Amino acid sequence: MPKTRQQNQNSLYLSPVITIVIISILSPLSLAAQPSKFRRAPRFVGKLPHLTEPPQRQQRQQQQQYRYETRYFEQRLDHFSFADLPTFSQRYLINTDHWVGPNRLGPIFLYCGNEGDIEWFAVNSGFVWDIAPRFGAMLVFPEHRYYGESMPYGSREVAYQNATTLSYLTAEQALADFAVFITNLKQNLSAEASPVVLFGGSYGGMLAAWMRLKYPHIAIGALASSAPILQFEDIVPPETFYNIRESASCFNTIKESWGELVSVGQKENGLLELTKTFHLCRELNSTEDLADWLESAYSYLAMVDYPYPSDFMMPLPGYPIREVCKKIDNAPDATSILERIFEGVSVYYNYTGNVDCFQLDDDPHGLDGWNWQACTEMVMPMSSSRDKSMFPAYDYNYSSFKEECWNDFNVIPRPRWITTEFGGHDIKSVLKLFGSNIIFSNGLLDPWSGGSVLQNLSETIVALVTEEESARTGWWVNFDFYSSNCCNDLGAHHLDLRPSTNEDPDWLKKQRETEIKLIEGWIDNYYRGKKATFNM
Amino acid sequence: MPKTRQQNQNSLYLSPVITIVIISILSPLSLAAQPSKFRRAPRFVGKLPHLTEPPQRQQRQQQQQYRYETRYFEQRLDHFSFADLPTFSQRYLINTDHWVGPNRLGPIFLYCGNEGDIEWFAVNSGFVWDIAPRFGAMLVFPEHRYYGESMPYGSREVAYQNATTLSYLTAEQALADFAVFITNLKQNLSAEASPVVLFGGSYGGMLAAWMRLKYPHIAIGALASSAPILQFEDIVPPETFYNIRESASCFNTIKESWGELVSVGQKENGLLELTKTFHLCRELNSTEDLADWLESAYSYLAMVDYPYPSDFMMPLPGYPIREVCKKIDNAPDATSILERIFEGVSVYYNYTGNVDCFQLDDDPHGLDGWNWQACTEMVMPMSSSRDKSMFPAYDYNYSSFKEECWNDFNVIPRPRWITTEFGGHDIKSVLKLFGSNIIFSNGLLDPWSGGSVLQNLSETIVALVTEEESARTGWWVNFDFYSSNCCNDLGAHHLDLRPSTNEDPDWLKKQRETEIKLIEGWIDNYYRGKKATFNM
């Protein structure tokens, strides 16, 4: 029986050691714009696998390396009203192996669960596990509501039924969940005086940073890794994400392919032709579905573009983008653009060569948690320009976005809410004046870095940016660099939360050391303050 | 036709010049504890008149002195969910007479509407009207949801129907209302760069202070007058409010009267006897109702204890508490305790002598906005000790409080939510570290001052405390001072928001000048920051 894409994706579960990257890949932050002619708003992907039953290897891995207890905490569905709604069980994972306890004010490291199964994040946030012994810290991983097992209304089916049941899936409710959870946990452990440090990546990093602004009394600091808190309204240009600076042959071929795709698709029997070219298992319904599939490949590839062979999303060679570009560039002269593209993405979708035909995602509009969040609060305008992006040109259009959200979810987005709630154009000065103890870590090749905080804002709001090549913004430069054999090790996709490995480049080791020192500083400072109060 | 208490209360409308005090009187902050034997939880009064049709004199006053335009702004019912709820019209009053406009970055003074009709607060917050010309400031008075005309579901009847319709009456929703409202207003006026300064008294002062913590990007500073943000959980002792330091004959008689009341009430025909002693229009149903009525008088008296005759709540002599004590103390020797009490409270309820019989409040448990808030979020534990309070001894008991709230509203209080949301025992250090530009103004004779911030926390978190007699806490000292002819002008009940008058004592004039200078400092600082950014 031939392997399909679906099956291949399952291999994802088999190598948890480095799967933190997957989180980025599958996270909202790996969105892909649609060609404007398809009249669809940019899609915030984010379909994380639901690890209700983690595969064997992952379970074994967890047991060996990451031992935790799974517990549940009863949460209100709406913290900000007294509506008579059913409560729900928020799952959290806890490890107290290294905790020095409440009497010695042992720190509590809280990972801000984001849009996925918390076990997934826990076993892929090796950094916090790595450093827990050094700090004598307890680890807790509260799950984000509406993800994993933390389902309101008792089941995912009911929770995701419609806009009414989904309506409490918001960032503010999630922040309040964390606040209520940790306050309660500390009280139960008589650990009210223990300092809490927050960790989070991508959307979880945004939550960690916002938590410092909204609940400064709950935690003493936050490591917000790749947290694009500026990616709202017009704080940063909407092209920040998709544009690149240079071009190369591979890039140009990809760029040309979108038009070719549409052109072929419009011909008589064009969809059948595309079906054959791309070895699809079922006949294509629209070029759009194929474009989605291709864009996903490019997005994911840029995230997993490691210098060594890996096997998370898919089994892949080292420098997979270089391999993709080689296939595209080095095909025989007579090869058509779309055939070249097929050869290229086959590196991603079929590196093992075992796939006979490919299944496209049948339900790109399925009720998905992040899609809901993107259609409600997380309205991040995204364009890709005709000249400077290898993706289909797309002008962000709020009206069509709104329409799409209405069609998908029966909900009207609130594009200005996040900036009203957390600060907009002034958020940097707000952070400077009212925030403290936040690390914003970013890799400049991460396309989300353009929407994040890249400069130190104060002594305690620190930006750690890997590779100070400030001109480079947009991770799609990888496609150029590798095709022109120019560079390596240039970028990082918020990898600092990953466990340390022997292959870690020096800058990553240094970055983690800096993070540890900063966190030590927060905790020391907190203890000094406690001692001063105590001696008074 | 004899005047009843009900009718007398209407005279309240007739002297708006100094009615800011009334707000305090009728506000939640004028609660009165119940004798524990009555088994009722402390009651947060707060029944403000609903000024749907302001009386003639007030209207005239408004037109003459406080001209404003009334407008409406469409608000979400739940800012923190996407539940498909009907929006509601938030009323706001606006005056731009003195505003120097957006180009000169004219300031916007925003009064944080609290638990009542916004017209009421607007015409009684003379201070902001007085200082607007000096600052070239616009004035806006957004109304608090569920009060005045700002009724969800189109009418008070529906909004107050049950726990479901009331469930969105929370402080966090009100803060979000203000944030969304002002963001929108500034955008509409192209005044995004205009600085906003917040004002508020009592609960409104708490909102103003919390707004600085939760929405520091929305306003540059706040004058929080008599804002007992520490009156939650066990941050301050529950007796802070009701206890006094010394005693005097008048105080002792009042103290003794509660037992006497119960004792007489339990006799055969005791309720009838009490009905006669207190000249009630209808036969008394329970001693509890009478105790409520008496406690109200003492609470209100302490608030309106001005050194000159006044006429807000009731027509009253100057130093009315002294007059009450005189009546109680100087009655003929044979006069019983309860007869003395009746003579005393008659100064309050019947100073004109026109009342033939008194109507007690028939519906103390009616669905009232503040009562709802007190039964949900604003859970302020209040006890009065047997020795140190002139009020009936009462030990705060959360269980019975909870039960009472369930009976009244079908709602379960969340006693730890406010401290989780805004900070609890650590709120002072949170304010110090993360807050700025807040004035906490208090009079030490205000019983709420014990729950407020009375020390400077930083250079910009400033406490203005009138009469630095730090030993005096509790406004009931008035009852001692006046009965023993000891003191005058000692206290202030957050009067700084009132309009200036010729009778203002020097300390009040000085306090207001200090406030003005601090606000000028915030605004100058803001302008300097803007200029620096502009010149960069």
Side-chain angles (χ1 to χ4, degrees), chain A residues 76 78-80 82-83 167 173 187 214-215 217 414 416 420-421 434, chain B residues 76 78-80 82-83 167 173 187 214-215 217 414 416 420-421 434:
Chain A
R76 294 184 68 85
D78 191 353
H79 292 280
F80 306 100
F82 284 78
S167 65
Q173 301 283 359
Q187 196 187 32
K214 288 288 184 189
Y215 296 89
H217 51 290
R414 290 159 70 194
R416 301 188 65 211
T420 302
E421 179 69 6
F434 303 102
Chain B
R76 293 183 69 86
D78 190 354
H79 291 281
F80 306 100
F82 283 78
S167 64
Q173 300 283 359
Q187 195 186 32
K214 287 288 186 189
Y215 295 89
H217 52 289
R414 289 159 70 193
R416 303 188 63 212
T420 302
E421 180 68 7
F434 304 101

mmCIF file of all heavy atoms in Angstrom, chain A residues 76 78-80 82-83 167 173 187 214-215 217 414 416 420-421 434, chain B residues 76 78-80 82-83 167 173 187 214-215 217 414 416 420-421 434:
data_model
loop_
_atom_site.group_PDB
_atom_site.id
_atom_site.type_symbol
_atom_site.label_atom_id
_atom_site.label_comp_id
_atom_site.label_asym_id
_atom_site.label_seq_id
_atom_site.Cartn_x
_atom_site.Cartn_y
_atom_site.Cartn_z
ATOM 1 N N ARG A 76 -13.156 28.667 34.790
ATOM 2 C CA ARG A 76 -14.349 29.333 34.255
ATOM 3 C C ARG A 76 -14.205 29.452 32.743
ATOM 4 O O ARG A 76 -13.104 29.683 32.245
ATOM 5 C CB ARG A 76 -14.472 30.751 34.809
ATOM 6 C CG ARG A 76 -14.733 30.866 36.264
ATOM 7 C CD ARG A 76 -14.914 32.336 36.618
ATOM 8 N NE ARG A 76 -16.131 32.872 36.037
ATOM 9 C CZ ARG A 76 -17.327 32.785 36.605
ATOM 10 N NH1 ARG A 76 -17.449 32.196 37.778
ATOM 11 N NH2 ARG A 76 -18.386 33.295 36.020
ATOM 12 N N ASP A 78 -15.773 31.905 31.012
ATOM 13 C CA ASP A 78 -15.633 33.349 30.799
ATOM 14 C C ASP A 78 -15.232 34.001 32.122
ATOM 15 O O ASP A 78 -16.037 34.139 33.033
ATOM 16 C CB ASP A 78 -16.953 33.949 30.293
ATOM 17 C CG ASP A 78 -16.781 35.391 29.813
ATOM 18 O OD1 ASP A 78 -15.675 35.962 29.992
ATOM 19 O OD2 ASP A 78 -17.739 35.959 29.254
ATOM 20 N N HIS A 79 -13.959 34.385 32.202
ATOM 21 C CA HIS A 79 -13.481 35.009 33.441
ATOM 22 C C HIS A 79 -14.065 36.396 33.647
ATOM 23 O O HIS A 79 -14.070 36.905 34.753
ATOM 24 C CB HIS A 79 -11.953 35.143 33.404
ATOM 25 C CG HIS A 79 -11.238 33.837 33.468
ATOM 26 N ND1 HIS A 79 -11.042 33.160 34.636
ATOM 27 C CD2 HIS A 79 -10.695 33.070 32.497
ATOM 28 C CE1 HIS A 79 -10.383 32.038 34.399
ATOM 29 N NE2 HIS A 79 -10.172 31.949 33.097
ATOM 30 N N PHE A 80 -14.525 37.006 32.578
ATOM 31 C CA PHE A 80 -14.873 38.415 32.643
ATOM 32 C C PHE A 80 -16.373 38.670 32.672
ATOM 33 O O PHE A 80 -16.824 39.790 32.487
ATOM 34 C CB PHE A 80 -14.217 39.153 31.477
ATOM 35 C CG PHE A 80 -12.732 38.920 31.420
ATOM 36 C CD1 PHE A 80 -12.175 38.011 30.542
ATOM 37 C CD2 PHE A 80 -11.889 39.592 32.297
ATOM 38 C CE1 PHE A 80 -10.816 37.785 30.508
ATOM 39 C CE2 PHE A 80 -10.520 39.371 32.278
ATOM 40 C CZ PHE A 80 -9.982 38.469 31.377
ATOM 41 N N PHE A 82 -20.213 36.861 34.540
ATOM 42 C CA PHE A 82 -20.757 35.876 35.471
ATOM 43 C C PHE A 82 -21.830 35.038 34.806
ATOM 44 O O PHE A 82 -22.709 34.500 35.472
ATOM 45 C CB PHE A 82 -21.264 36.573 36.740
ATOM 46 C CG PHE A 82 -20.142 36.979 37.647
ATOM 47 C CD1 PHE A 82 -19.379 38.102 37.378
ATOM 48 C CD2 PHE A 82 -19.808 36.190 38.730
ATOM 49 C CE1 PHE A 82 -18.315 38.453 38.198
ATOM 50 C CE2 PHE A 82 -18.739 36.539 39.549
ATOM 51 C CZ PHE A 82 -18.003 37.676 39.281
ATOM 52 N N ALA A 83 -21.744 34.959 33.495
ATOM 53 C CA ALA A 83 -22.694 34.123 32.766
ATOM 54 C C ALA A 83 -22.609 32.690 33.287
ATOM 55 O O ALA A 83 -21.535 32.211 33.623
ATOM 56 C CB ALA A 83 -22.378 34.173 31.271
ATOM 57 N N SER A 167 -16.735 30.846 21.173
ATOM 58 C CA SER A 167 -16.568 32.287 21.432
ATOM 59 C C SER A 167 -15.634 32.618 22.589
ATOM 60 O O SER A 167 -15.165 33.744 22.695
ATOM 61 C CB SER A 167 -17.934 32.939 21.633
ATOM 62 O OG SER A 167 -18.542 32.442 22.798
ATOM 63 N N GLN A 173 -8.798 35.421 27.689
ATOM 64 C CA GLN A 173 -9.295 34.331 28.540
ATOM 65 C C GLN A 173 -8.136 33.387 28.871
ATOM 66 O O GLN A 173 -8.031 32.911 30.009
ATOM 67 C CB GLN A 173 -10.410 33.555 27.836
ATOM 68 C CG GLN A 173 -11.632 34.384 27.439
ATOM 69 C CD GLN A 173 -12.562 34.715 28.604
ATOM 70 O OE1 GLN A 173 -12.330 34.310 29.742
ATOM 71 N NE2 GLN A 173 -13.607 35.482 28.329
ATOM 72 N N GLN A 187 -1.112 28.777 46.002
ATOM 73 C CA GLN A 187 -1.805 28.732 47.285
ATOM 74 C C GLN A 187 -1.859 27.296 47.823
ATOM 75 O O GLN A 187 -1.570 27.053 48.997
ATOM 76 C CB GLN A 187 -3.210 29.303 47.137
ATOM 77 C CG GLN A 187 -3.835 29.644 48.477
ATOM 78 C CD GLN A 187 -5.281 30.053 48.335
ATOM 79 O OE1 GLN A 187 -5.994 29.570 47.437
ATOM 80 N NE2 GLN A 187 -5.730 30.927 49.200
ATOM 81 N N LYS A 214 -0.120 42.624 31.492
ATOM 82 C CA LYS A 214 -1.449 42.607 32.098
ATOM 83 C C LYS A 214 -1.459 42.039 33.505
ATOM 84 O O LYS A 214 -2.333 42.362 34.303
ATOM 85 C CB LYS A 214 -2.411 41.788 31.218
ATOM 86 C CG LYS A 214 -2.795 42.470 29.921
ATOM 87 C CD LYS A 214 -3.743 43.638 30.166
ATOM 88 C CE LYS A 214 -4.207 44.244 28.855
ATOM 89 N NZ LYS A 214 -4.948 45.491 29.029
ATOM 90 N N TYR A 215 -0.548 41.137 33.784
ATOM 91 C CA TYR A 215 -0.517 40.492 35.109
ATOM 92 C C TYR A 215 0.897 40.544 35.695
ATOM 93 O O TYR A 215 1.483 39.497 35.987
ATOM 94 C CB TYR A 215 -0.995 39.036 34.998
ATOM 95 C CG TYR A 215 -2.431 38.880 34.572
ATOM 96 C CD1 TYR A 215 -2.774 38.794 33.231
ATOM 97 C CD2 TYR A 215 -3.456 38.829 35.515
ATOM 98 C CE1 TYR A 215 -4.110 38.659 32.831
ATOM 99 C CE2 TYR A 215 -4.777 38.693 35.130
ATOM 100 C CZ TYR A 215 -5.098 38.606 33.786
ATOM 101 O OH TYR A 215 -6.402 38.471 33.388
ATOM 102 N N HIS A 217 1.879 41.108 38.467
ATOM 103 C CA HIS A 217 1.953 40.563 39.823
ATOM 104 C C HIS A 217 1.994 39.037 39.825
ATOM 105 O O HIS A 217 2.203 38.427 40.864
ATOM 106 C CB HIS A 217 0.764 41.036 40.645
ATOM 107 C CG HIS A 217 -0.560 40.810 39.981
ATOM 108 N ND1 HIS A 217 -0.969 41.513 38.878
ATOM 109 C CD2 HIS A 217 -1.562 39.945 40.248
ATOM 110 C CE1 HIS A 217 -2.168 41.104 38.495
ATOM 111 N NE2 HIS A 217 -2.552 40.147 39.314
ATOM 112 N N ARG A 414 -12.356 41.435 14.966
ATOM 113 C CA ARG A 414 -12.176 42.731 15.642
ATOM 114 C C ARG A 414 -10.714 43.150 15.450
ATOM 115 O O ARG A 414 -9.879 42.944 16.320
ATOM 116 C CB ARG A 414 -12.508 42.592 17.122
ATOM 117 C CG ARG A 414 -14.005 42.370 17.370
ATOM 118 C CD ARG A 414 -14.257 41.754 18.712
ATOM 119 N NE ARG A 414 -13.983 42.659 19.807
ATOM 120 C CZ ARG A 414 -13.868 42.259 21.079
ATOM 121 N NH1 ARG A 414 -13.956 40.974 21.386
ATOM 122 N NH2 ARG A 414 -13.644 43.131 22.025
ATOM 123 N N ARG A 416 -9.047 45.786 15.606
ATOM 124 C CA ARG A 416 -8.374 46.786 16.442
ATOM 125 C C ARG A 416 -8.382 46.404 17.916
ATOM 126 O O ARG A 416 -7.910 47.176 18.760
ATOM 127 C CB ARG A 416 -9.040 48.157 16.236
ATOM 128 C CG ARG A 416 -8.991 48.601 14.769
ATOM 129 C CD ARG A 416 -9.468 50.027 14.616
ATOM 130 N NE ARG A 416 -8.561 50.938 15.306
ATOM 131 C CZ ARG A 416 -8.944 52.076 15.865
ATOM 132 N NH1 ARG A 416 -10.215 52.421 15.846
ATOM 133 N NH2 ARG A 416 -8.075 52.856 16.468
ATOM 134 N N THR A 420 -6.005 47.735 21.131
ATOM 135 C CA THR A 420 -6.691 48.463 22.200
ATOM 136 C C THR A 420 -6.399 47.816 23.549
ATOM 137 O O THR A 420 -6.167 48.492 24.546
ATOM 138 C CB THR A 420 -8.222 48.469 21.951
ATOM 139 O OG1 THR A 420 -8.476 49.055 20.680
ATOM 140 C CG2 THR A 420 -8.951 49.254 23.025
ATOM 141 N N GLU A 421 -6.373 46.507 23.554
ATOM 142 C CA GLU A 421 -6.197 45.779 24.807
ATOM 143 C C GLU A 421 -4.738 45.784 25.277
ATOM 144 O O GLU A 421 -4.482 45.921 26.470
ATOM 145 C CB GLU A 421 -6.693 44.325 24.612
ATOM 146 C CG GLU A 421 -6.573 43.417 25.814
ATOM 147 C CD GLU A 421 -7.513 43.762 26.967
ATOM 148 O OE1 GLU A 421 -8.359 44.644 26.810
ATOM 149 O OE2 GLU A 421 -7.369 43.151 28.046
ATOM 150 N N PHE A 434 6.259 50.546 31.343
ATOM 151 C CA PHE A 434 5.453 49.754 32.284
ATOM 152 C C PHE A 434 5.836 48.288 32.337
ATOM 153 O O PHE A 434 5.287 47.544 33.126
ATOM 154 C CB PHE A 434 3.971 49.886 31.934
ATOM 155 C CG PHE A 434 3.507 51.302 31.931
ATOM 156 C CD1 PHE A 434 3.327 51.987 30.749
ATOM 157 C CD2 PHE A 434 3.274 51.959 33.124
ATOM 158 C CE1 PHE A 434 2.922 53.306 30.747
ATOM 159 C CE2 PHE A 434 2.872 53.277 33.139
ATOM 160 C CZ PHE A 434 2.694 53.962 31.941
ATOM 161 N N ARG B 76 -19.652 46.506 22.716
ATOM 162 C CA ARG B 76 -19.874 45.070 22.856
ATOM 163 C C ARG B 76 -20.304 44.775 24.287
ATOM 164 O O ARG B 76 -19.822 45.415 25.220
ATOM 165 C CB ARG B 76 -18.575 44.291 22.631
ATOM 166 C CG ARG B 76 -18.034 44.326 21.251
ATOM 167 C CD ARG B 76 -16.795 43.447 21.194
ATOM 168 N NE ARG B 76 -17.147 42.049 21.349
ATOM 169 C CZ ARG B 76 -17.513 41.271 20.350
ATOM 170 N NH1 ARG B 76 -17.561 41.749 19.121
ATOM 171 N NH2 ARG B 76 -17.829 40.008 20.559
ATOM 172 N N ASP B 78 -19.748 41.767 25.755
ATOM 173 C CA ASP B 78 -18.617 41.026 26.314
ATOM 174 C C ASP B 78 -17.389 41.275 25.437
ATOM 175 O O ASP B 78 -17.295 40.752 24.336
ATOM 176 C CB ASP B 78 -18.941 39.519 26.383
ATOM 177 C CG ASP B 78 -17.906 38.738 27.183
ATOM 178 O OD1 ASP B 78 -16.881 39.336 27.588
ATOM 179 O OD2 ASP B 78 -18.115 37.531 27.425
ATOM 180 N N HIS B 79 -16.478 42.079 25.959
ATOM 181 C CA HIS B 79 -15.271 42.385 25.187
ATOM 182 C C HIS B 79 -14.351 41.181 25.071
ATOM 183 O O HIS B 79 -13.507 41.132 24.189
ATOM 184 C CB HIS B 79 -14.494 43.520 25.852
ATOM 185 C CG HIS B 79 -15.178 44.842 25.790
ATOM 186 N ND1 HIS B 79 -15.168 45.632 24.671
ATOM 187 C CD2 HIS B 79 -15.928 45.502 26.701
ATOM 188 C CE1 HIS B 79 -15.870 46.731 24.896
ATOM 189 N NE2 HIS B 79 -16.342 46.673 26.118
ATOM 190 N N PHE B 80 -14.491 40.240 25.980
ATOM 191 C CA PHE B 80 -13.500 39.183 26.089
ATOM 192 C C PHE B 80 -13.978 37.849 25.520
ATOM 193 O O PHE B 80 -13.379 36.816 25.764
ATOM 194 C CB PHE B 80 -13.069 39.042 27.553
ATOM 195 C CG PHE B 80 -12.598 40.351 28.132
ATOM 196 C CD1 PHE B 80 -13.431 41.112 28.936
ATOM 197 C CD2 PHE B 80 -11.345 40.835 27.814
ATOM 198 C CE1 PHE B 80 -13.003 42.330 29.449
ATOM 199 C CE2 PHE B 80 -10.904 42.058 28.321
ATOM 200 C CZ PHE B 80 -11.739 42.804 29.144
ATOM 201 N N PHE B 82 -16.404 36.217 21.937
ATOM 202 C CA PHE B 82 -17.062 36.542 20.675
ATOM 203 C C PHE B 82 -18.488 36.001 20.664
ATOM 204 O O PHE B 82 -19.054 35.761 19.607
ATOM 205 C CB PHE B 82 -16.235 36.013 19.496
ATOM 206 C CG PHE B 82 -15.043 36.875 19.218
ATOM 207 C CD1 PHE B 82 -13.909 36.790 20.008
ATOM 208 C CD2 PHE B 82 -15.081 37.822 18.213
ATOM 209 C CE1 PHE B 82 -12.814 37.607 19.774
ATOM 210 C CE2 PHE B 82 -13.998 38.645 17.976
ATOM 211 C CZ PHE B 82 -12.863 38.541 18.761
ATOM 212 N N ALA B 83 -19.029 35.843 21.850
ATOM 213 C CA ALA B 83 -20.415 35.389 21.938
ATOM 214 C C ALA B 83 -21.308 36.376 21.183
ATOM 215 O O ALA B 83 -21.074 37.579 21.209
ATOM 216 C CB ALA B 83 -20.835 35.288 23.398
ATOM 217 N N SER B 167 -24.937 39.440 33.918
ATOM 218 C CA SER B 167 -23.622 38.825 34.069
ATOM 219 C C SER B 167 -22.469 39.639 33.488
ATOM 220 O O SER B 167 -21.316 39.397 33.822
ATOM 221 C CB SER B 167 -23.622 37.411 33.490
ATOM 222 O OG SER B 167 -23.853 37.447 32.106
ATOM 223 N N GLN B 173 -15.117 44.632 32.279
ATOM 224 C CA GLN B 173 -15.869 45.036 31.079
ATOM 225 C C GLN B 173 -15.960 46.560 31.026
ATOM 226 O O GLN B 173 -15.849 47.169 29.959
ATOM 227 C CB GLN B 173 -17.285 44.431 31.097
ATOM 228 C CG GLN B 173 -17.319 42.910 31.132
ATOM 229 C CD GLN B 173 -17.020 42.237 29.799
ATOM 230 O OE1 GLN B 173 -16.792 42.901 28.794
ATOM 231 N NE2 GLN B 173 -17.009 40.918 29.801
ATOM 232 N N GLN B 187 -9.652 58.502 17.544
ATOM 233 C CA GLN B 187 -9.487 58.262 16.111
ATOM 234 C C GLN B 187 -10.443 59.140 15.304
ATOM 235 O O GLN B 187 -10.046 59.769 14.327
ATOM 236 C CB GLN B 187 -9.729 56.789 15.806
ATOM 237 C CG GLN B 187 -9.232 56.396 14.427
ATOM 238 C CD GLN B 187 -9.613 54.971 14.066
ATOM 239 O OE1 GLN B 187 -10.661 54.465 14.477
ATOM 240 N NE2 GLN B 187 -8.774 54.331 13.299
ATOM 241 N N LYS B 214 -3.921 48.356 33.904
ATOM 242 C CA LYS B 214 -4.295 47.437 32.825
ATOM 243 C C LYS B 214 -4.193 48.060 31.441
ATOM 244 O O LYS B 214 -4.015 47.348 30.458
ATOM 245 C CB LYS B 214 -5.732 46.941 33.041
ATOM 246 C CG LYS B 214 -5.869 45.954 34.183
ATOM 247 C CD LYS B 214 -5.264 44.609 33.837
ATOM 248 C CE LYS B 214 -5.525 43.594 34.929
ATOM 249 N NZ LYS B 214 -4.793 42.353 34.728
ATOM 250 N N TYR B 215 -4.388 49.359 31.357
ATOM 251 C CA TYR B 215 -4.369 50.021 30.047
ATOM 252 C C TYR B 215 -3.448 51.246 30.103
ATOM 253 O O TYR B 215 -3.900 52.365 29.857
ATOM 254 C CB TYR B 215 -5.783 50.440 29.635
ATOM 255 C CG TYR B 215 -6.724 49.286 29.406
ATOM 256 C CD1 TYR B 215 -7.488 48.755 30.440
ATOM 257 C CD2 TYR B 215 -6.852 48.718 28.143
ATOM 258 C CE1 TYR B 215 -8.348 47.688 30.232
ATOM 259 C CE2 TYR B 215 -7.713 47.657 27.916
ATOM 260 C CZ TYR B 215 -8.457 47.139 28.968
ATOM 261 O OH TYR B 215 -9.318 46.088 28.749
ATOM 262 N N HIS B 217 -1.450 52.322 28.141
ATOM 263 C CA HIS B 217 -1.313 52.991 26.844
ATOM 264 C C HIS B 217 -2.515 53.866 26.522
ATOM 265 O O HIS B 217 -2.487 54.616 25.557
ATOM 266 C CB HIS B 217 -1.128 51.951 25.739
ATOM 267 C CG HIS B 217 -2.174 50.874 25.749
ATOM 268 N ND1 HIS B 217 -2.235 49.903 26.724
ATOM 269 C CD2 HIS B 217 -3.215 50.618 24.914
ATOM 270 C CE1 HIS B 217 -3.246 49.095 26.487
ATOM 271 N NE2 HIS B 217 -3.862 49.508 25.398
ATOM 272 N N ARG B 414 -16.986 35.623 43.499
ATOM 273 C CA ARG B 414 -15.603 35.183 43.247
ATOM 274 C C ARG B 414 -14.687 36.071 44.090
ATOM 275 O O ARG B 414 -14.127 37.050 43.596
ATOM 276 C CB ARG B 414 -15.270 35.327 41.761
ATOM 277 C CG ARG B 414 -16.003 34.299 40.909
ATOM 278 C CD ARG B 414 -16.089 34.740 39.467
ATOM 279 N NE ARG B 414 -14.807 34.714 38.799
ATOM 280 C CZ ARG B 414 -14.574 35.296 37.621
ATOM 281 N NH1 ARG B 414 -15.555 35.970 37.018
ATOM 282 N NH2 ARG B 414 -13.407 35.241 37.065
ATOM 283 N N ARG B 416 -11.762 35.978 45.197
ATOM 284 C CA ARG B 416 -10.331 36.126 44.936
ATOM 285 C C ARG B 416 -10.041 36.643 43.529
ATOM 286 O O ARG B 416 -8.876 36.766 43.132
ATOM 287 C CB ARG B 416 -9.610 34.790 45.161
ATOM 288 C CG ARG B 416 -9.819 34.238 46.567
ATOM 289 C CD ARG B 416 -8.945 33.035 46.818
ATOM 290 N NE ARG B 416 -7.541 33.386 46.761
ATOM 291 C CZ ARG B 416 -6.589 32.564 46.333
ATOM 292 N NH1 ARG B 416 -6.889 31.358 45.933
ATOM 293 N NH2 ARG B 416 -5.328 32.949 46.314
ATOM 294 N N THR B 420 -6.628 38.525 41.891
ATOM 295 C CA THR B 420 -5.932 37.790 40.825
ATOM 296 C C THR B 420 -5.776 38.681 39.597
ATOM 297 O O THR B 420 -4.739 38.701 38.944
ATOM 298 C CB THR B 420 -6.722 36.514 40.441
ATOM 299 O OG1 THR B 420 -6.877 35.700 41.604
ATOM 300 C CG2 THR B 420 -6.002 35.721 39.369
ATOM 301 N N GLU B 421 -6.817 39.432 39.319
ATOM 302 C CA GLU B 421 -6.825 40.267 38.112
ATOM 303 C C GLU B 421 -5.964 41.523 38.269
ATOM 304 O O GLU B 421 -5.272 41.927 37.342
ATOM 305 C CB GLU B 421 -8.280 40.651 37.774
ATOM 306 C CG GLU B 421 -8.480 41.521 36.554
ATOM 307 C CD GLU B 421 -8.153 40.838 35.233
ATOM 308 O OE1 GLU B 421 -7.890 39.629 35.225
ATOM 309 O OE2 GLU B 421 -8.160 41.544 34.203
ATOM 310 N N PHE B 434 5.238 48.949 38.259
ATOM 311 C CA PHE B 434 4.621 48.957 36.940
ATOM 312 C C PHE B 434 3.646 50.098 36.712
ATOM 313 O O PHE B 434 3.092 50.233 35.641
ATOM 314 C CB PHE B 434 3.923 47.617 36.676
ATOM 315 C CG PHE B 434 4.830 46.452 36.803
ATOM 316 C CD1 PHE B 434 4.829 45.664 37.936
ATOM 317 C CD2 PHE B 434 5.731 46.170 35.790
ATOM 318 C CE1 PHE B 434 5.687 44.598 38.068
ATOM 319 C CE2 PHE B 434 6.597 45.101 35.913
ATOM 320 C CZ PHE B 434 6.583 44.309 37.059
#
